[in-house]
Amino acid sequence: MIRFALVAAFALIAAPVLAQDAAPSAPADVMSTEHPGELAVAPYAQSNAHAGATPFEGTAMYEAFHGEAGVGRIVDGLVARSVADPRISGIFAASDLVRLRRTLKEQFCYILGGGCAYSGRDMAAAHAEMGAQAADMGALVENLQAAMREEGVPFAVQNRFLAKLAPMKPDVVTR
């Protein structure tokens, strides 16, 4: 039990949820987006390496998250909770939530071994101007844990996923 608590505590300071790109502030130098409903962003090279973690081997983790539909529900629940959470809602106020949901679903699917490609920016670039603090990460992880619980993801599986995300902290927490 202590081991799981340590993993969860470590994960509290290193969640990937802030992995969405900030809304563009200078539309004059941005490219058009290929995804309907999203704001245009400045060009960047796409790579699965930008997902911030290597994928799990096999598909057991992806299946424990109930595949594409489950990952979609978890991301949607995470974003809805975070937007409504007064501790971190300000971070999301100027965000392109359509892009955030899409890139998080890609990132989670990729890391969980679902065979998806991640098309978002690298973690440092995506979070450079957000000014996220460790407490923001903690709130975000709590929201992710709630979304995973609601989806019925087993606690041990949640901890494995959070441990995979934890090393992203230095690229996400910038204050």
Side-chain angles (χ1 to χ4, degrees):
M1 190 59 155
I2 291 173
R3 187 172 133 217
F4 288 126
L6 289 174
V7 170
F10 185 68
L12 284 174
I13 56 174
V17 176
L18 296 176
Q20 82 110 107
D21 299 317
S25 58
D29 65 350
V30 297
M31 68 178 196
S32 296
T33 180
E34 62 188 73
H35 302 281
E38 295 181 11
L39 300 174
V41 296
Y44 61 93
Q46 296 181 3
S47 170
N48 284 333
H50 294 168
T54 57
F56 287 99
E57 293 288 327
T59 59
M61 287 292 289
Y62 191 62
E63 291 167 9
F65 275 70
H66 307 129
E68 179 182 356
V71 168
R73 287 188 292 269
I74 289 168
V75 168
D76 289 344
L78 166 64
V79 171
R81 281 178 174 84
S82 297
V83 168
D85 187 335
R87 299 174 295 174
I88 55 174
S89 61
I91 291 174
F92 296 93
S95 297
D96 178 352
L97 297 179
V98 174
R99 179 176 171 78
L100 171 63
R101 286 185 190 95
R102 180 182 60 78
T103 56
L104 278 176
K105 288 173 185 175
E106 288 176 359
Q107 183 185 33
F108 285 15
C109 174
Y110 173 75
I111 294 170
L112 291 166
C116 301
Y118 175 68
S119 67
R121 295 182 193 173
D122 67 81
M123 297 298 102
H127 298 89
E129 297 179 16
M130 290 184 161
Q133 300 179 21
D136 301 328
M137 295 290 297
L140 201 58
V141 170
E142 288 175 21
N143 293 334
L144 175 57
Q145 290 173 311
M148 291 188 293
R149 257 191 325 273
E150 186 172 284
E151 181 62 25
V153 175
F155 185 72
V157 174
Q158 292 179 30
N159 282 335
R160 285 187 69 203
F161 185 55
L162 292 173
K164 190 76 136 170
L165 304 176
M168 296 179 198
K169 179 188 173 197
D171 291 332
V172 174
V173 174
T174 57
R175 291 195 299 167

